[in-house]
């Protein structure tokens, strides 16, 4: 029998209208109502806002968490279970929820606090680079103070993060097929997030992390573990640490994974995974039709 990994996308995968079809179900209605109690605003209102409110960090992260968590619950209700889970940046919170590390409300409260802190982070800049010489990029980052590799997504795509001057210097100094400044409020996954990370650690400290029901591969350490204390410590490090997605993807075949299901809107992770491990079977589950169409 095939072994399956569930992976969860993060910021950048949001889309206007995502999750609206889930609101017709009792489970969806229940989760959306619970979310509004916690957040103080309606996820459905935000995702249906024509002015793309869902792409504001303050709203993006909670909305993605809610929509992806509902998809998790629907999949499990139909008898699906993952053998391993992982999530990209914000998606790691959904992975922990899917693994039973904390409940829906606890995860959402953490995500809301994370989004508030990250939305306030006005210093710094991020940029995506595609099609580059890895050695040349590593050397340029090493020689440029104030910039780090924030997302190691796959062999042909990375994101750098740091001060505007340092990020621009790397963009100008490394030949790439494409280099694009990202529309984000700060230098996420870099040391510039240290103050926000320290504040978030205070919110995280009293939260109990249960033993995971399936192994979790964390962004800052792709070594699979079910230890709640270890997973919590890795989450503390996540805001300033790199997202090691390429290594997570490479670890999946070594764990015997044959099939990867991207649970959430879009197909960003499917595209990244395809470039790294071509032999994995890839499936997207981002709406109700795709949930219902997934064979047990």
């Amino acid at each position: 029998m095939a072994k399956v990994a569930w992976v969860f996308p993060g910021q950048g995968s949001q889309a206007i209208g995502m999750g609206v079809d889930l609101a017709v179900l009792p489970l969806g209605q229940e989760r959306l109502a619970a979310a509004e109690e916690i957040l103080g605003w309606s996820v459905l209102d935000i995702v249906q806002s024509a002015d793309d409110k869902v792409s504001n960090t303050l709203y993006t992260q909670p909305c993605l968490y809610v929509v992806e968590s509902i998809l998790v619950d629907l999949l499990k209700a139909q008898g699906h279970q993952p053998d391993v889970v992982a999530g990209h940046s914000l998606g790691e919170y959904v992975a922990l929820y899917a693994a039973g590390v904390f409940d829906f409300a606890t995860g959402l409260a953490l995500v809301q606090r994370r989004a508030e802190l990250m939305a306030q982070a006005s210093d710094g800049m991020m940029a995506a680079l595609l099609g580059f010489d890895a050695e040349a990029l590593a050397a340029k980052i090493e020689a440029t103070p104030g910039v780090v590799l924030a997302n190691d997504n796959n062999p042909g795509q990375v994101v750098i993060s740091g001060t505007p001057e340092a990020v621009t210097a790397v963009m100008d100094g490394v030949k790439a097929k494409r280099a694009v400044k990202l529309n984000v409020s700060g230098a996420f996954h870099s040391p510039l997030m240290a103050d926000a990370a320290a504040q978030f650690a205070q919110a995280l400290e009293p939260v109990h992390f249960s033993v995971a029901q399936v192994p979790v591969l964390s962004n800052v350490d792709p070594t699979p573990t079910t230890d709640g204390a270890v997973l919590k410590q890795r989450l503390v490090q996540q805001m300033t640490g790199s997202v090691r997605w390429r290594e997570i993807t490479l670890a999946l075949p070594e764990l015997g994974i044959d099939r990867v299901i991207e649970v959430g809107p879009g197909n960003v992770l499917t595209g990244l995974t395809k470039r790294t491990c071509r032999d994995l079977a890839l499936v997207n589950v981002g709406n109700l039709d795709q949930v219902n169409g997934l064979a047990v």
Side-chain angles (χ1 to χ4, degrees):
M1 189 173 177
K3 290 188 71 175
V4 179
W6 289 3
V7 298
F8 302 93
Q11 201 159 343
S13 290
Q14 72 276 2
I16 294 174
M18 68 176 189
V20 171
D21 58 334
L22 306 177
V24 303
L25 302 173
L27 190 150
Q29 293 167 5
E30 178 190 321
R31 287 285 183 273
L32 289 164
E36 188 165 354
E37 281 277 317
I38 294 163
L39 298 169
W41 46 266
S42 165
V43 168
L44 276 183
D45 287 350
I46 296 298
V47 299
Q48 294 181 98
S49 173
D51 60 356
D52 198 24
K53 276 187 181 177
V54 73
S55 288
N56 179 325
T57 294
L58 196 63
Y59 299 120
T60 308
Q61 297 185 17
C63 287
L64 282 170
Y65 175 87
V66 170
V67 170
E68 292 177 21
S69 296
I70 294 171
L71 291 169
V72 165
D73 294 336
L74 291 174
L75 287 171
K76 288 187 174 182
Q78 292 195 4
H80 300 284
Q81 290 289 340
D83 295 288
V84 175
V85 294
H88 193 287
S89 193
L90 176 277
E92 187 168 320
Y93 289 77
V94 193
L96 293 169
Y97 169 70
V101 173
F102 45 60
D103 62 21
F104 172 80
T106 299
L108 182 55
L110 287 173
V111 166
Q112 183 179 31
R113 183 59 180 145
R114 180 184 192 264
E116 291 168 352
L117 290 167
M118 292 177 77
Q120 292 165 11
S122 57
D123 294 334
M125 173 176 159
M126 300 181 78
L129 280 73
L130 293 86
F132 49 85
D133 180 279
E135 289 186 9
L137 176 62
K140 183 63 178 176
I141 290 173
E142 182 70 25
T144 309
V147 63
V148 297
L149 184 65
N151 296 0
D152 181 10
N153 285 329
N154 71 21
Q157 188 199 90
V158 300
V159 174
I160 57 174
S161 182
T163 66
E165 299 78 15
V167 171
T168 301
V170 172
M171 292 174 74
D172 292 344
V174 174
K175 187 177 180 181
K177 285 184 181 177
R178 196 164 174 231
V180 185
K181 178 185 173 183
L182 299 184
N183 183 24
V184 293
S185 59
F188 303 160
H189 299 291
S190 85
L192 292 180
M193 296 297 294
D195 287 347
Q199 293 182 65
F200 183 69
Q202 293 177 4
L204 196 58
E205 198 278 328
V207 179
H208 174 69
F209 275 41
S210 300
V211 175
Q213 295 162 2
V214 296
V216 181
L217 282 69
S218 302
N219 287 189
V220 300
D221 187 341
T223 310
T225 187
T226 57
D227 187 315
V230 172
L231 291 168
K232 185 175 184 177
Q233 181 55 39
R234 289 178 178 177
L235 210 55
V236 170
Q237 298 170 285
Q238 196 218 63
M239 204 178 279
T240 56
S242 296
V243 176
R244 296 162 61 181
W245 196 257
R246 179 180 58 85
E247 294 174 71
I248 287 173
T249 305
L250 289 171
L252 296 178
E254 295 179 8
L255 295 169
I257 297 299
D258 309 290
R259 191 183 196 205
V260 177
I261 300 176
E262 180 174 0
V263 183
N267 56 8
V268 169
L269 298 185
T270 299
L272 297 180
T273 303
K274 192 181 296 182
R275 286 288 306 274
T276 307
C277 292
R278 296 184 182 277
D279 293 336
L280 288 169
L282 305 172
V283 181
N284 289 91
V285 176
N287 56 49
L288 188 54
D289 285 344
Q290 289 172 331
V291 169
N292 292 333
L294 190 65
V296 178

